[in-house]
């Protein structure tokens, strides 16, 4: 039986990730292929796996053959056209910033695309690259429905006191407020928690999205109450190359006393800080854990300390905590860091089951723990596919 399909696209500066989902029923999506074109402009490579994880293609290209994301989209689209039928009925995209205007997934046209492009300065590592394939598809396939799904949307129901900064109200009205990010990940994990541990999902939950980008989210009954990220994706926890919470006076000092330009400061904050900046070695946790350099240990210890510190803030936002959930690349795979973070949560009653943690089990809390500790893999692409199908069915 041939199913209608949804294409999901997540584009970065040097990679294009895509997945194809079959619409198997009213509420069932089946992942058919998962692929990416990475090394764009340097060492381009197309890799695709099927639903059984078997390799369908692994092809390397000359650098000049895949100069930018637009060319990568053409390569991926050609492969999909040659091997997958029927053609997708819609494309869903991850877009990091929806600004004050977009609080839910939306069908994209030229006007919406222009509105989203104006937010690029608030997410320079992500927004321009998220929007590039949308523009390409609009030009090549103008009748194909495209849906933008926002990382900020999950947090848009916050109490006003959560999203305000202590700045003049006119600035809030202009859109300078706390937005929060990683919303597609949090939304998926919150839904998944309801399926696998329904009692825990009813309580006060802190979800830790720990990867190259990192943040925490306070969740009650599946809804975001607060998040460590704010106006941009620079706030909160230290990340792979971003500093996290930073006194704004540091930025003023860099501009006025160090003589740095705005562009230089932006590059430093987005690309030269975090684990990479602290260690002077790498932004990859695996590399840092394998290093004997004391700077690597400092970077990891700092990361663990800040996660524990901000977890207390999220617990305060909830009035207590019943469960703590690890997700994303570090959260799902770095057992040692999970153990160290749990030690920082001991004052909240967290006690780790070391064997379960080493085995990457779904539940890693011991019987003595007063709060549940869980590892739940995220799936932002499936969340995007769900939103795309739902919006198509509503017809808006």
């Amino acid at each position: 039986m041939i199913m209608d399909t949804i294409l999901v696209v997540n584009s970065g500066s040097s990679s294009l990730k895509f997945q194809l989902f079959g619409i198997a029923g009213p509420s069932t999506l089946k992942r058919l292929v998962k692929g990416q074109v990475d090394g764009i402009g340097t060492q381009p490579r197309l890799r695709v796996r099927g639903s059984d994880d078997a390799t369908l293609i692994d092809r390397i290209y000359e650098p000049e053959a895949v100069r930018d994301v637009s060319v990568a989209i053409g390569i991926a689209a050609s492969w999909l056209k040659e091997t997958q039928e029927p053609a997708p009925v819609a494309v869903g995209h991850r877009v990091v910033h929806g600004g004050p205007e977009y609080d839910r997934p939306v069908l994209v046209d030229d006007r919406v695309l222009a509105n989203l492009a104006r937010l690029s300065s608030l997410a320079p590592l992500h927004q321009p690259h998220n929007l590039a394939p949308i523009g390409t598809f609009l030009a090549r396939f103008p009748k194909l429905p495209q849906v933008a799904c926002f990382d900020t949307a999950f947090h848009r129901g916050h109490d006003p006191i959560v999203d305000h900064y202590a700045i003049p109200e006119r600035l809030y009205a202009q859109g300078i407020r706390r937005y929060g990010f990683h919303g597609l990940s949090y939304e998926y994990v919150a839904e998944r928690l309801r399926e696998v541990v329904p009692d825990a999902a009813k309580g006060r939950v802190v979800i830790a999205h720990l990867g190259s980008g990192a943040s925490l989210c306070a969740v009650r009954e599946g809804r975001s109450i607060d998040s460590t990220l704010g106006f941009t994706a620079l706030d909160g926890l230290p990340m792979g190359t971003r500093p996290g919470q930073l006194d704004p006076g540091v930025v003023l000092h860099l501009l006025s006393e160090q003589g740095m330009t705005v562009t230089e400061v932006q590059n430093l904050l987005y690309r030269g800080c975090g684990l990479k900046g602290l260690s002077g070695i790498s932004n990859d946790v695996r590399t840092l854990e394998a290093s004997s350099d004391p700077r690597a240990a400092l970077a990891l210890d700092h990361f663990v300390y800040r996660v524990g510190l901000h977890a207390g803030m999220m617990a305060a936002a909830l009035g207590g905590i019943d469960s703590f959930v690890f997700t994303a690349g570090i959260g799902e795979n770095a057992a040692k860091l999970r153990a160290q973070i749990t030690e920082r949560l001991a004052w909240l009653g967290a006690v780790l089951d070391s064997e379960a943690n080493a085995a990457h089990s779904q539940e890693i809390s011991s019987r003595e723990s007063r709060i549940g500790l869980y590892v739940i893999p995220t799936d932002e692409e499936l969340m995007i596919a769900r939103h795309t199908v739902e919006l198509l069915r509503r017809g808006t």
Side-chain angles (χ1 to χ4, degrees):
M1 178 180 177
I2 297 178
M3 297 179 285
D4 284 336
T5 59
I6 296 289
L7 177 63
V8 172
V9 175
N10 186 349
S11 179
S13 59
S14 62
S15 67
L16 175 78
K17 298 178 182 178
F18 60 92
Q19 296 191 30
L20 192 68
F21 291 86
I23 306 174
S27 59
T28 304
L29 288 165
K30 180 181 179 182
R31 199 184 320 268
L32 302 176
V33 299
K34 179 178 182 179
Q36 66 182 52
V37 182
D38 55 21
I40 295 172
T42 55
Q43 295 179 313
R45 184 180 184 184
L46 170 65
R47 289 177 287 179
V48 186
R49 294 183 179 274
S51 58
D52 58 356
D53 207 36
T55 298
L56 301 180
I57 186 173
D58 189 342
R59 180 181 299 169
I60 296 174
Y61 297 82
E62 293 298 322
E64 59 273 15
V66 190
R67 299 181 306 277
D68 53 33
V69 170
S70 178
V71 177
I73 291 169
I75 288 173
S78 295
W79 183 87
L80 288 166
K81 184 177 181 180
E82 292 170 4
T83 63
Q84 307 296 314
E85 292 185 354
V89 297
V91 184
H93 299 266
R94 178 198 178 202
V95 178
V96 165
H97 215 308
E101 184 172 354
Y102 300 107
D103 62 355
R104 65 198 65 190
V106 62
L107 280 169
V108 183
D109 54 21
D110 290 329
R111 181 187 66 83
V112 171
L113 184 60
N115 289 342
L116 296 176
R118 286 195 284 270
L119 300 171
S120 292
S121 64
L122 304 186
L125 289 188
H126 302 91
Q127 195 85 351
H129 310 301
N130 297 159
L131 302 183
I134 298 178
T136 299
F137 277 110
L138 277 174
R140 296 184 181 181
F141 312 101
K143 295 184 179 180
L144 180 65
Q146 295 191 80
V147 177
C149 301
F150 304 103
D151 265 330
T152 50
F154 183 64
H155 306 289
R156 289 299 303 278
H158 288 172
D159 188 296
I161 64 170
V162 173
D163 288 346
H164 271 75
Y165 290 109
I167 57 178
E169 182 67 20
R170 60 182 172 80
L171 297 176
Y172 178 88
Q174 293 170 14
I176 302 177
R177 61 187 72 172
R178 299 183 70 247
Y179 289 100
F181 298 90
H182 298 137
L184 292 164
S185 175
Y186 289 130
E187 186 177 9
Y188 175 82
V189 172
E191 288 190 6
R192 184 65 179 149
L193 190 64
R194 279 199 295 265
E195 295 172 0
V196 298
V197 197
D199 289 340
K202 297 175 184 176
R204 299 162 297 184
V205 181
V206 175
I207 304 175
H209 178 103
L210 307 179
S212 180
S215 66
L216 303 178
C217 183
V219 175
R220 182 186 293 122
E221 295 182 355
R223 296 180 62 247
S224 172
I225 302 302
D226 203 345
S227 169
T228 57
L229 282 169
F231 180 57
T232 70
L234 288 172
D235 202 1
L237 304 179
M239 306 173 220
T241 61
R242 287 168 270 169
Q245 186 179 31
L246 187 72
D247 183 339
V250 173
V251 176
L252 297 177
H253 175 81
L254 294 175
L255 292 169
S256 64
E257 301 301 322
Q258 298 285 335
M260 295 178 69
T261 66
V262 171
T263 299
E264 288 171 338
V265 172
Q266 178 174 282
N267 286 335
L268 172 68
L269 296 180
Y270 277 100
R271 296 179 174 87
C273 293
L275 296 178
K276 179 182 178 181
L278 263 179
S279 70
I281 299 170
S282 175
N283 63 329
D284 192 312
V285 164
R286 293 165 296 187
T287 300
L288 297 179
E289 286 186 325
S291 174
S292 59
D293 192 314
R295 296 176 302 167
L298 172 64
L300 293 174
D301 289 346
H302 178 80
F303 179 76
V304 168
Y305 172 73
R306 301 302 292 188
V307 172
L309 195 68
H310 282 80
M313 294 170 59
M314 294 298 100
L318 291 165
I321 179 173
D322 301 306
S323 301
F324 191 92
V325 181
F326 294 91
T327 194
I330 298 171
E332 295 169 24
N333 299 297
K336 183 179 179 181
L337 282 188
R338 286 199 302 259
Q340 292 172 333
I341 290 168
T342 301
E343 290 179 9
R344 290 282 177 181
L345 305 180
W347 68 280
L348 291 168
V351 182
L352 188 71
D353 182 327
S354 298
E355 290 185 4
N357 183 49
H360 302 286
S361 300
Q362 179 177 278
E363 182 172 357
I364 58 173
S365 49
S366 75
R367 293 182 180 180
E368 295 77 30
S369 185
R370 295 200 304 271
I371 68 174
L373 301 169
Y374 304 97
V375 180
I376 297 182
T378 192
D379 197 335
E380 295 163 311
E381 288 76 15
L382 179 56
M383 200 72 245
I384 293 169
R386 289 174 178 172
H387 281 309
T388 301
V389 170
E390 181 182 357
L391 193 147
L392 289 178
R393 286 175 177 157
R394 291 202 313 265
T396 56

